[in-house]
Amino acid sequence: MSRKIHHTISIDRSFAGFIEEKVLPGTGVSKEVFWDGLASLIEEFDDKNKKLVAFRDKLQSQIDDWHLQAGNRQFDKQKYKTFLSEIGYLVDEGPDFSIQTTRIDHEIASIAGPQLVVPITNARFAINAINARWNSLYNALYGTNVLGRPVGQDFDAEHAGKVIEWTKDFLDSVFPLASDSHKNAKGYSILDDTLVVQVPSGDTRLVDKSQLVGYTGEPSNPESVLLQRNGIHLIMVFNRNDIIGKTDPAGMTDVVLESAITTILDCEDSVAVVDAEDKILAYENWLGIMKGDLVAEFEKDGVNITRVIKQNKEFMTPKGDKLTLKGQALLLIRNSASHINTDIVTDLNGNQVGETILDALCTTLIGLHDLRGSNWNSREGSIYIVKPKMHGPDEVALADRLFSRVEKILDLEQYTVKIGIMDEERRTTVNLKECIRAARKRVAFINTGFLDRTGDEIHTSFMMGPFLRKGSLKQAPWLPAYENWNVDVGLNCGLKGKSQIGKGMWAMPDLMKEMLEQKIEHPLAGANTAWVPSPTAATLHAVHYFKVDVKEIQDRLLDGGPRSSLDTILQIPVAGEADWTEDEILQEVRNNLQGILGYVVRWVDQGIGCSKIPDINNVGLMEDRATCRISSQHVANWLHHGIVDKETVMNSMKEMAKVVDGQNKEDLNYNPMAPTFDGEAFKAACDLVFKGDIQSSGYTEFILHQRRLEQKEKMGPGQ
């Protein structure tokens, strides 16, 4: 591999060429400044970063030893807390404070709504997510299981009627009329700054006149009407010549919701980036997005399709002024985690450096194309970077200092870069207030990532005993306490009106009826955003933010005091006396292994970092490294404590490999694992389980990266 040497660092030459030829032009940053800056960042931060990662392992070893001591088998929570404080796992909590973040875009500071997360390496998915700021509610209802499924392939008028009826009921609930119902509307017009609705008994108006904020077309016969509730928008679209408009008395042909208010473009859990080739693809897509010119061309059902980033939406206000609303989600980018090293850049001895340092400089550099260009993403002139898997306030403080140095290198005002703190590791949860304090001038986002958080819960207390079955883990006291703690701490640190407080992913993209029923709990819990797996899911989840005034909920929570305690969060969800039957044990193990294999085989063989994987019951689940972390740690924990033996697990692994092969038989690019069971993907799945007890923090990345690199070497360049 050809290398470029610059002072104390060695860089993959293809990567260096990409930075110099494609990224730097237009930023005002010279290649000398960039490479000097990278070398200085590595010199200042790489060793510190690696020492903090090593400290995680030291703490874990001490916790393991503590659980193995005979006297600690009878759990004493006060004794446990004292121990955690003594080793530095728990830190002293300082006085109350409020974050001081400034220049925050209103999508983060004041609009409550859904958040999409998509792999940056897939341009088509990325553009779809960016454009998901506005989506058809009619389409979201028609094409999912919310109201049942349409009959046949052709247009199903009966099903469309159910969609329209549901939507009109929704309009009545969030934009009520002074009299009658939107169901009976025969026409809509704008008169004297007011939305006038023609109904059989005459004219009526909105109960809340201020909900009308804009329209297109003629006031007497608008093409669309823009309404607003709780800071989020809805567009009623009219066209009496459309197939739907002809059947609607008012000529309403669609209802479009402001859906994905923000989107995280992911360089971490949902991608399989293992070398310079992969990293260039990730950065190239981020570059195209920041320039606003990314294009995705693909074929679907025999039709060539081109996707581009949509333009803004233009309206007239009721008073006749022009109103422009962004046509795109506000974008954040998630960097690599601190424990991942890369050989894209090394020191002169060939030692890999922390990929998070490379990401910090490069994703911010690429963000300059927005800041020094059209400002189409951040109108406040900020760059939003999500930092995953940080363990405790020392790691957050290091990230804060790292970005200050990045800003200095790139000649940016300090605190231009805003940080999203993912509360997905146990040591961050229990020290959340101090984590926020460590980045109080940068914090734009905290969230609960319950999937990774569950994986870390298992690994941290691995030696305590066998953990509950996964279904019971979700019902254990620690999990709702953790979810409430995150919101309460965030509000008490002044995040309301300045920063996002988020909740985790809905992982079943085909079960939208169930999501619509259940995910309203997230805004009701005081979260002003929550993750969704698709643009369609964003639209359906947006319904919840029209119905729930999150600001009001947050005010009530601030007045009500804390809803959980550290003691509850520290309750370890082990089984005690495990009384499961052999069938229950085998079912749990098989379900875990099927999920691991279904995910890993695509990760290792095809480089797909996030997939909708059919589970053992053929229900499609969104799988990424977080879900894989839970499943592998769960089986490894049961193996360690003798709930299941290695022979049973291996036999089940082979059995589930055959099931996964069958589920992927229509995929022409799929490499079957059976009957030889000697491919890199199968080996990776085995390593994740049988070596799960020794993986740092229970992470899957080390094994997946190694096996993917070996597979790419077998396949040759460009694979």
Side-chain angles (χ1 to χ4, degrees):
M1 181 168 55
S2 177
R3 312 287 296 186
K4 171 187 174 76
I5 306 300
H6 185 89
H7 299 326
T8 57
I9 58 173
S10 171
I11 311 111
D12 176 274
R13 192 165 290 279
S14 63
F15 180 80
F18 166 72
I19 292 292
E20 293 177 4
E21 296 165 18
K22 293 190 176 182
V23 178
L24 287 171
T27 64
V29 179
S30 70
K31 64 181 181 181
E32 291 78 12
V33 167
F34 177 81
W35 297 121
D36 284 349
L38 180 58
S40 68
L41 282 180
I42 291 168
E43 182 178 4
E44 182 176 352
F45 290 99
D46 192 49
D47 186 57
K48 293 182 177 70
N49 180 64
K50 287 173 179 172
K51 284 180 178 177
L52 286 174
V53 172
F55 185 61
R56 301 176 183 177
D57 294 332
K58 178 183 178 182
L59 290 176
Q60 185 61 58
S61 178
Q62 290 173 299
I63 291 170
D64 287 345
D65 290 344
W66 193 84
H67 283 309
L68 290 171
Q69 292 174 21
N72 296 325
R73 288 297 184 184
Q74 298 299 317
F75 191 70
D76 182 318
K77 64 182 179 183
Q78 189 54 52
K79 184 179 177 183
Y80 180 55
K81 285 168 62 178
T82 299
F83 161 71
L84 293 179
S85 296
E86 289 173 347
I87 65 174
Y89 187 96
L90 272 175
V91 303
D92 292 337
E93 193 171 277
D96 290 345
F97 71 99
S98 290
I99 64 168
Q100 301 165 26
T101 317
T102 59
R103 289 194 295 148
I104 293 289
D105 287 88
H106 70 283
E107 287 93 340
I108 285 177
S110 58
I111 304 179
Q115 186 167 67
L116 269 169
V117 186
V118 292
I120 188 65
T121 48
N122 189 311
R124 173 184 168 188
F125 289 0
I127 292 174
N128 286 349
I130 296 166
N131 291 342
R133 180 68 174 260
W134 301 93
N135 252 2
S136 166
L137 179 59
Y138 277 9
N139 288 345
L141 293 168
Y142 186 88
T144 63
N145 72 328
V146 172
L147 301 172
R149 298 284 185 178
V151 177
Q153 298 296 317
D154 297 328
F155 177 71
D156 183 343
E158 182 179 355
H159 187 64
K162 293 179 183 178
V163 167
I164 294 169
E165 182 179 12
W166 191 100
T167 302
K168 298 293 181 70
D169 284 336
F170 169 64
L171 289 173
D172 284 339
S173 69
V174 295
F175 299 107
L177 302 177
S179 63
D180 217 311
S181 163
H182 287 279
K183 290 181 180 179
N184 298 322
K186 297 188 293 183
Y188 292 79
S189 59
I190 314 297
L191 179 65
D192 297 330
D193 304 344
T194 301
L195 181 65
V196 178
V197 184
Q198 294 83 50
V199 293
S201 60
D203 289 346
T204 187
R205 288 162 171 75
L206 293 170
V207 170
D208 181 356
K209 174 184 174 181
S210 69
Q211 290 182 323
L212 172 67
V213 293
Y215 67 94
T216 62
E218 295 299 321
S220 60
N221 186 27
E223 296 172 2
S224 70
V225 170
L226 178 69
L227 304 175
Q228 183 185 58
R229 178 183 169 97
N230 298 335
I232 191 169
H233 296 88
L234 174 151
I235 306 170
M236 296 189 295
V237 182
F238 303 96
N239 182 354
R240 293 186 181 276
N241 295 319
D242 181 86
I243 186 173
I244 298 295
K246 288 179 179 179
T247 63
D248 188 281
M252 187 183 296
T253 187
D254 202 355
V255 171
V256 175
L257 301 190
E258 193 172 16
S259 301
I261 307 299
T262 55
T263 284
I264 297 176
L265 299 162
D266 189 22
C267 295
E268 195 231 1
D269 260 6
S270 67
V271 299
V273 171
V274 299
D275 56 18
E277 178 186 40
D278 297 336
K279 183 62 83 173
I280 289 170
L281 173 61
Y283 286 170
E284 195 161 32
N285 285 346
W286 178 232
L287 177 64
I289 291 165
M290 287 294 94
K291 288 183 172 182
D293 60 8
L294 183 66
V295 175
E297 297 178 343
F298 57 96
E299 183 180 306
K300 185 176 182 180
D301 299 328
V303 178
N304 292 324
I305 299 174
T306 299
R307 292 271 165 83
V308 298
I309 297 172
K310 288 182 179 178
Q311 300 299 307
N312 293 333
K313 290 187 174 293
E314 304 289 342
F315 300 90
M316 297 296 292
T317 70
K319 294 185 179 297
D321 299 321
K322 288 186 178 180
L323 172 66
T324 300
L325 295 181
K326 281 189 66 176
Q328 322 83 20
L330 181 76
L331 305 179
L332 305 84
I333 186 159
R334 182 160 64 167
N335 282 188
S336 297
S338 300
H339 57 278
I340 298 298
N341 296 317
T342 180
D343 65 357
I344 297 171
V345 182
T346 69
D347 64 20
L348 297 184
N349 294 318
N351 297 309
Q352 296 187 1
V353 304
E355 192 167 334
T356 194
I357 297 173
L358 185 66
D359 273 358
L361 183 60
C362 291
T363 56
T364 305
L365 172 71
I366 293 170
L368 294 184
H369 287 279
D370 178 49
L371 299 192
R372 294 173 181 170
S374 62
N375 280 101
W376 77 265
N377 184 44
S378 173
R379 292 176 174 174
E380 294 292 331
S382 291
I383 297 171
Y384 298 95
I385 294 182
V386 178
K387 285 285 291 181
K389 297 179 176 55
M390 293 188 289
H391 289 235
D394 286 346
E395 295 193 16
V396 179
L398 186 73
D400 179 65
R401 296 196 301 273
L402 172 65
F403 284 113
S404 286
R405 284 286 293 115
V406 167
E407 288 159 343
K408 192 171 182 179
I409 290 165
L410 300 179
D411 194 26
L412 286 169
E413 182 181 338
Q414 192 175 20
Y415 306 121
T416 294
V417 175
K418 308 304 189 290
I419 290 180
I421 299 174
M422 296 196 62
D423 177 9
E424 57 187 345
E425 305 297 324
R426 192 170 183 257
R427 188 152 57 104
T428 291
T429 299
V430 297
N431 299 297
L432 183 59
K433 181 177 179 179
E434 296 312 300
C435 289
I436 296 171
R437 188 195 306 276
R440 60 190 176 277
K441 294 185 179 181
R442 292 192 189 277
V443 176
F445 161 108
I446 63 171
N447 82 332
T448 51
F450 74 95
L451 295 173
D452 262 306
R453 181 65 179 77
T454 303
D456 196 49
E457 186 74 19
I458 297 172
H459 192 80
T460 300
S461 304
F462 198 95
M463 297 300 173
M464 177 70 179
F467 270 68
L468 297 170
R469 298 176 71 184
K470 284 167 68 175
S472 298
L473 274 177
K474 295 179 181 179
Q475 308 302 321
W478 74 274
L479 186 53
Y482 151 67
E483 295 283 0
N484 288 336
W485 174 274
N486 177 273
V487 175
D488 291 345
V489 172
L491 291 176
N492 286 318
C493 291
L495 270 66
K496 180 178 181 290
K498 295 182 180 179
S499 176
Q500 287 182 323
I501 300 176
K503 294 293 181 187
M505 180 66 77
W506 178 265
M508 295 164 282
D510 294 332
L511 302 184
M512 291 292 97
K513 179 178 185 291
E514 294 77 3
M515 188 198 78
L516 197 58
E517 293 168 347
Q518 298 174 34
K519 205 170 171 68
I520 195 170
E521 293 301 323
H522 284 161
L524 286 173
N528 52 7
T529 193
W531 286 6
V532 287
S534 67
T536 295
T539 302
L540 294 172
H541 185 38
V543 166
H544 299 141
Y545 296 93
F546 283 97
K547 292 184 174 182
V548 178
D549 186 344
V550 178
K551 292 178 182 178
E552 181 181 300
I553 298 286
Q554 290 182 343
D555 285 337
R556 195 185 314 154
L557 292 173
L558 279 166
D559 292 338
R563 294 170 290 167
S564 60
S565 69
L566 185 60
D567 286 347
T568 308
I569 290 171
L570 290 174
Q571 287 185 24
I572 302 172
V574 292
E577 294 295 326
D579 57 356
W580 305 303
T581 66
E582 288 186 14
D583 283 346
E584 287 174 329
I585 292 169
L586 187 59
Q587 179 188 43
E588 187 80 14
V589 169
R590 291 170 78 242
N591 186 52
N592 277 321
L593 296 180
Q594 190 272 343
I596 293 168
L597 287 160
Y599 175 65
V600 167
V601 71
R602 295 184 183 179
W603 209 103
V604 172
D605 287 352
Q606 299 181 33
I608 298 174
C610 183
S611 301
K612 184 174 76 172
I613 306 293
D615 71 3
I616 202 167
N617 300 310
N618 282 315
V619 175
L621 301 177
M622 291 301 296
E623 299 277 355
D624 64 5
R625 292 204 299 253
T627 56
C628 189
R629 184 183 184 190
I630 297 175
S631 298
S632 56
Q633 283 297 292
H634 199 264
V635 179
N637 173 261
W638 277 20
L639 271 168
H640 179 84
H641 292 284
I643 303 300
V644 67
D645 59 56
K646 186 173 181 179
E647 181 180 4
T648 299
V649 172
M650 180 55 82
N651 289 339
S652 296
M653 187 81 80
K654 291 179 178 178
E655 180 185 357
M656 291 300 100
K658 295 175 184 176
V659 170
V660 172
D661 285 349
Q663 290 173 329
N664 287 276
K665 62 184 178 182
E666 302 300 324
D667 184 351
L668 299 179
N669 297 316
Y670 183 79
N671 296 319
M673 292 176 280
T676 58
F677 306 110
D678 59 356
E680 297 298 333
F682 188 81
K683 292 176 184 176
C686 291
D687 287 346
L688 288 169
V689 169
F690 297 121
K691 298 178 182 178
D693 57 338
I694 61 171
Q695 297 307 304
S696 178
S697 300
Y699 292 132
T700 62
E701 290 89 315
F702 308 108
I703 288 169
L704 291 175
H705 279 227
Q706 176 191 347
R707 293 297 184 182
R708 173 62 181 159
L709 283 167
E710 291 170 359
Q711 181 69 3
K712 288 188 77 172
E713 187 174 347
K714 290 179 181 179
M715 297 165 67
Q719 301 297 315

